[in-house]
Amino acid sequence: MRKLSIAIDGPAGAGKSSVSKILASRLGYAYLDTGAMYRAVAYEALKKGLTDPAEITAMTKALDMEVKPGMDAMHVIVDGEDVTPFIRTPEVSGHVSEVSAIGGVRTAMVAIQRRQAEKGGIVLDGRDIGTTVLPKADVKIFLTASVHTRALRRFKELEAQHPELSLEDIEADVAKRDYMDSHREISPLKQAEDAILLDNGDLTLEGTAEAMIAICEKKFPGFSR
């Protein structure tokens, strides 16, 4: 059985990255965190003080970006520097939707993502993988949960390092990001017509990965053996 390409889409806080890492590890596949790539661009734009879309596009095209997918982690190297430790801050999170909506930025990132995925045996997650990046992916899953559930997950992740943030603040930010991601002009967040909807509000990460494997098995019996 050939190795599959698996596209996982969904809103912020659904656990896409964490579950994708578990799924890739279980299957012996590579994992490509597409969101981390856009976060790296947002980080570089913030660092350089850029806000104009044309300037951010020009900067993105000039970046020497390398992604190193692995079984359980992915590093983003920009101009020779591993920026992975700096792209999960609240400041970057607050700007990534705006940056990722820029057409030139998406064109550059999608080209890298497609090259990584063309051989199969890979799990990609993001917001437009099944609709734009890999419209012919073998398996497409749309992962979601309620705004409150996703905000609570994010709050638990951030409360130790950012005690100034309240659950209400994060819930408002998640709702705002949902709106921005689903209403952007280019590649908006939406469930692909042939994607399977999976609500993991009551599932653990391991349970979500198990549910995803079951979805793949249903479409490709024996694929994981």
Side-chain angles (χ1 to χ4, degrees):
M1 176 72 70
R2 66 183 177 84
K3 291 189 173 183
L4 307 178
S5 58
I6 302 174
I8 300 174
D9 289 309
K16 298 185 302 297
S17 296
S18 298
V19 172
S20 294
K21 292 174 186 177
I22 295 171
L23 181 64
S25 179
R26 290 278 300 275
L27 298 177
Y29 283 14
Y31 163 63
L32 183 61
D33 180 357
T34 59
M37 298 168 66
Y38 288 105
R39 284 177 171 275
V41 174
Y43 167 73
E44 292 293 328
L46 285 168
K47 186 169 69 172
K48 295 176 172 63
L50 302 179
T51 57
D52 180 72
E55 292 181 345
I56 294 174
T57 295
M59 177 207 71
T60 303
K61 291 180 178 179
L63 291 177
D64 178 12
M65 181 179 289
E66 179 184 4
V67 292
K68 295 183 176 180
M71 295 299 184
D72 58 0
M74 188 188 86
H75 288 261
V76 185
I77 315 299
V78 177
D79 296 333
E81 177 190 8
D82 186 350
V83 300
T84 310
F86 314 117
I87 62 176
R88 301 288 178 184
T89 65
E91 186 178 18
V92 171
S93 295
H95 286 78
V96 66
S97 289
E98 182 179 349
V99 169
S100 64
I102 300 172
V105 172
R106 301 203 70 82
T107 297
M109 296 297 100
V110 167
I112 296 173
Q113 293 158 15
R114 284 177 175 164
R115 286 197 299 271
Q116 293 279 340
E118 59 188 14
K119 293 184 178 180
I122 195 167
V123 179
L124 285 80
D125 76 275
R127 284 165 179 71
D128 65 344
I129 308 302
T131 54
T132 302
V133 179
L134 293 180
K136 296 183 179 180
D138 295 305
V139 178
K140 301 177 185 178
I141 298 171
F142 193 87
L143 184 65
T144 191
S146 69
V147 170
H148 177 74
T149 295
R150 290 183 282 123
L152 184 59
R153 291 170 179 170
R154 188 61 54 86
F155 176 72
K156 290 178 178 178
E157 290 175 357
L158 297 174
E159 62 178 336
Q161 293 183 320
H162 300 279
E164 75 281 3
L165 294 175
S166 69
L167 176 58
E168 290 74 17
D169 291 336
I170 295 176
E171 192 163 344
D173 183 67
V174 168
K176 177 182 177 182
R177 190 166 178 190
D178 282 357
Y179 182 86
M180 292 177 64
D181 287 344
S182 60
H183 287 78
R184 66 191 182 199
E185 183 176 350
I186 300 172
S187 296
L189 168 68
K190 63 180 180 180
Q191 182 179 342
E193 291 184 0
D194 54 346
I196 302 299
L197 178 66
L198 176 58
D199 188 318
N200 72 341
D202 295 323
L203 296 175
T204 63
L205 292 176
E206 289 287 349
T208 303
E210 286 286 350
M212 289 180 171
I213 291 174
I215 289 170
C216 294
E217 281 283 4
K218 185 174 182 179
K219 186 171 183 180
F220 295 94
F223 90 100
S224 61
R225 295 194 292 270

